[in-house]
Amino acid sequence: MTSRSPTDGTAGQPASLEQLVRWRRDVRRFKPDPVADDLIERLLRLADLAPSVGNSQPWRILNVKDGAARLAVARQFERERSRTVSGYEGDQATLYNKLKLAGFDAAPVHLAIFCDHDSAQGHGLGQQTMPETLDHSCACMVTVLWLAAREAGLGLGWVSIVEPAAIAETLGVSKSWKLIGYILLGWPEEEHLDPELERYGWQPRTPFEGRYRELGKVEDTSAPSKDAPRSQSGGSVTLVGAGPGDPELLTLKALRALQTADVVLYDNLVARPILDYVRLGAKLIDVGKRGYRKSCKQPDIDRQLVSFAREGLKVVRLKSGDPLIFGRAGEEIAACRAAGVPLSVVPGVTSAQGAAANLKVALTNRDHARRLQFITAHDRHGTLPADIDWSAVADPAATTVVYMPKRTLAELTDIATAHGLDPKTPAIAVANATRADEQAIISTVGMVAAELGSAHPEGPVLVMIGEALRHATPLDVVEQTAALFSTVGAAPVES
């Protein structure tokens, strides 16, 4: 996840307190890159300014650089983790074993935070009635450190699955020092606005209203029951179509949504220049689904949309093309509705429209194509869908636009011709439609798969098929194709 904020040097304005609080998440996945000692000292000196009961400053910070001591703490954590799992059963125990609950393996900085209960600082002010406020003061210090680290781009993990006395003994500290937490600091390998425990299904956040009460307030009996789904005031989700790539194809409504968003979850296919239109300070989260590679799962995306909206954030789900065409928008709409999250949809220029317009190719023709149909060339398993209506694809009076056909185009054209589609029917493959690196291949149904394979373009591809293309006289396509094939050493196929 990236952020258009000072945490990664992309903006000149300081992060707001609200942004720092929202970005503060327990980090368990760190890069092994070192953190400069002077940066750690600056953050610790800032944290040392934290408030404390009676100005007691009871925290004691031990920077654990010794490798043997770090290993001993990590082993103690694993023992406690193994013991803790016995308290869970069934699916919860299985999930607990899968959770990553610490980052000992990569975090470059280890800090043990203790509370000194024998300190004379503060003369005991405020501690006679509530001695636990010494521990609370140390927690305040850690929170300040957490926010300071976040502002510097660092991640912090607060490890609590350890036995305090055992850690104190391992590190050889005074018997009056009580462990508050073992802190891991480093550059985060990945960043998220939602807690990892929520992201992996351990426990979702609940609405603020469930933790707030007013003494003496008369209850409103007309209010919805506590079991009724609702979102926190102000939170919402907007599905936005980014168009095929040219930022100038964004609608005014899409631009307004991007410039008022608190967080934007964007697909891998969204052109990067479009992200420049997102409001400075908004959080950018890459949730792209990358074909045949590790990528974000749809249920995880659904949970993040709902979670952010419940926190009162304006959430934009940014999708390439139009969100309602092969974008799995239906699942996200259903998730928001089930959670009671306000939802709106901003349509976008779909890739077929952008490709045809840029190449000046008409997709319909009153004499040759009275129907336009969009199909996808792969199913949820990455294979050619089994339920394609091949008679419709073979219909000479239709123009067919095939989305996501890179791996299955040869199979698709073979089956289509077997069902009666003339192999000499015009076909145009377009990669990166409307973008600066757009590539077009003008061909026929019988040859387009082989020619696309030879060109091997990067980025999203679609294929347009139909007699309407023959009568469009796509001069621009011919010129672009000639330029493309001059670089790959092949000649364009005349249609």
Side-chain angles (χ1 to χ4, degrees), residues 396-437:
T399 299
T400 303
V401 181
V402 186
Y403 284 68
M404 298 166 283
K406 274 187 177 180
R407 291 178 178 256
T408 60
L409 184 58
E411 183 183 4
L412 184 148
T413 53
D414 285 348
I415 297 176
T417 54
H419 281 78
L421 180 63
D422 187 344
K424 296 181 180 179
T425 301
I428 302 175
V430 182
N432 301 309
T434 78
R435 307 184 190 196
D437 58 347

Side-chain angles (χ1 to χ4, degrees), residues 306-430:
V306 170
S307 174
F308 294 148
R310 282 178 167 168
E311 291 184 23
L313 297 174
K314 292 182 180 179
V315 185
V316 164
R317 177 69 174 98
L318 187 62
K319 296 172 176 284
S320 177
D322 183 277
L324 304 178
I325 298 178
F326 302 128
R328 300 186 70 171
E331 296 169 61
E332 294 165 358
I333 291 171
C336 291
R337 284 177 171 168
V341 170
L343 174 81
S344 58
V345 180
V346 178
V349 175
T350 190
S351 301
Q353 295 170 310
N358 217 37
L359 300 173
K360 303 177 183 66
V361 174
L363 294 175
T364 59
N365 181 291
R366 64 190 307 172
D367 296 320
H368 301 284
R370 292 174 296 280
R371 188 174 79 255
L372 174 63
Q373 56 193 10
F374 299 159
I375 65 172
T376 177
H378 77 252
D379 58 17
R380 66 172 61 244
H381 304 295
T383 57
L384 192 67
D387 57 355
I388 292 177
D389 184 348
W390 295 108
S391 63
V393 176
D395 183 358
T399 299
T400 303
V401 181
V402 186
Y403 284 68
M404 298 166 283
K406 274 187 177 180
R407 291 178 178 256
T408 60
L409 184 58
E411 183 183 4
L412 184 148
T413 53
D414 285 348
I415 297 176
T417 54
H419 281 78
L421 180 63
D422 187 344
K424 296 181 180 179
T425 301
I428 302 175
V430 182

Side-chain angles (χ1 to χ4, degrees), residues 33-45:
D33 304 356
V35 180
D37 287 342
D38 58 348
L39 174 57
I40 294 300
E41 181 176 354
R42 180 175 72 82
L43 297 180
L44 290 176
R45 286 184 177 276

Side-chain angles (χ1 to χ4, degrees), residues 6 11 93 158 189 223 240 290 301 316 353 390 396 432:
W158 190 335
E189 185 179 78
V240 175
R290 298 162 177 83
I301 297 173
V316 164
Q353 295 170 310
W390 295 108
N432 301 309

